[in-house]
Amino acid sequence: MKALKMIQYGDIETSLNFQQEDKPEPAAHEVLIKVHAASVNPIDNKILRGDFKAFSKVNFPAGIGRDVSGEVVAVGHAVAGFKKGDQVFSRVGEEHVGTVAEFVTVDADHLAKKPENLSHQDAAGIPLVGLTSYQALIKIAKLKEGDKILIHAGSGGIGSMAIQLAKSYGAYVITTTSTENVQWVKALGADQVIDYKKENYLDMLSGIDVVFDTLGGQYTLDAFKVIKDGGRVVSITGELDPQTAKEMGLNWLIRKLLGFKSRAITKAAKQKAALYRMVLMKADGLQLGALSQLYQDEIINPVMDRTYSFEQSKEAFAYLATGRAKGKVVISMQTESAN
């Protein structure tokens, strides 16, 4: 089969190559999926650049891509609940990374039935951003009806999903975006949209229940300026908190160094008696199934930017790297060109 592989750390053009390899066989608790579509995510480009090699080095050549939608073509002998011919989607576990390929094996526990009303291209854009938002807002921040939530970068893949998810739980949603995207994110359901090119959200907001930090850096620290006492700040790009570092299995020395690095955030959280957590999304088929139902019921809708063919995979990663995508960027095994 043909698969896109990372062959070294570096730029997209020189570090990604198509290679031929044997089609994988599913283990006892796995299924084999014929890939119809895969989506690309910022984490893929970050790993390719080598941003995380201090924590986890890649053994080259290595697969790339964590989201997939396709058809089950074989199941392991211990798999229950899925059969050949099922239309499914998944955010695969780290041991199965490599969805930009003709076939991929997936742990059955990380799998869910694809929403029947969505194409494989639409479904492929859901798992990573959906599970990240679900785990951040529902599982960690405990978002509830009436909460005021600030979601940064509302036009991105994560932001566009998080806005809809938060609205489905009855929250009052505030988001930031650029001038050209203001009306677009309003249409997603945002109650208040702040144009960061013209307005400073720090001058406009206070008493926020939850901040979903998708930008990191100073934005993480500034979140504590707008939340209420006892509020919750959940980040996908900020500094690691002690609990998350422990869950990652990092040794005590690295945790101590990370604690020193995050001391400003720890201090800011303490002053507000606030929760701060960094979210490291985990593949979860049950949670993905819950999200699938929200799409099936059209409570949440997919937000697509561009679709590329398998042969245009490098172009898909390059476009995502520009930071201009509104919604998801998908690679399809069934299309000829970007649209």
Side-chain angles (χ1 to χ4, degrees), residues 124-201:
I126 296 171
L128 189 145
V129 297
L131 288 171
T132 299
S133 299
Y134 187 87
Q135 291 169 17
L137 303 187
I138 310 308
K139 293 300 181 180
I140 296 177
K142 308 295 184 185
L143 190 71
K144 61 184 183 300
E145 185 175 359
D147 275 348
K148 286 186 177 181
I149 180 172
L150 169 63
I151 299 170
H152 282 296
S155 64
I158 290 282
S160 58
M161 167 65 198
I163 288 170
Q164 295 184 81
L165 181 62
K167 286 301 297 180
S168 76
Y169 274 74
Y172 181 89
V173 177
I174 307 163
T175 192
T176 59
T177 194
S178 59
T179 307
E180 57 269 27
N181 292 326
V182 168
Q183 294 303 318
W184 189 77
V185 294
K186 280 185 178 178
L188 291 176
D191 297 288
Q192 181 180 352
V193 181
I194 297 173
D195 181 348
Y196 68 78
K197 291 186 176 181
K198 299 178 180 179
E199 303 167 305
N200 184 350
Y201 75 96

Side-chain angles (χ1 to χ4, degrees), residues 192-251:
Q192 181 180 352
V193 181
I194 297 173
D195 181 348
Y196 68 78
K197 291 186 176 181
K198 299 178 180 179
E199 303 167 305
N200 184 350
Y201 75 96
L202 293 173
D203 297 331
M204 304 170 64
L205 302 178
S206 63
I208 301 298
D209 295 287
V210 178
V211 175
F212 188 24
D213 167 38
T214 63
L215 299 174
Q218 188 62 37
Y219 286 94
T220 309
L221 200 56
D222 285 344
F224 297 96
K225 297 177 180 178
V226 299
I227 64 166
K228 69 178 185 181
D229 289 347
R232 295 92 80 196
V233 176
V234 187
S235 178
I236 59 172
T237 56
E239 303 294 345
L240 277 175
D241 61 279
Q243 183 174 339
T244 303
K246 186 176 181 179
E247 290 175 358
M248 290 177 65
L250 301 178
N251 66 50

Side-chain angles (χ1 to χ4, degrees), residues 28 33 51 68 109 122 157 177 191 211-212 222 268 277 301-302:
I33 296 175
D51 290 6
V68 64
D109 288 342
D122 284 336
T177 194
D191 297 288
V211 175
F212 188 24
D222 285 344
R277 286 289 305 278
N301 296 300

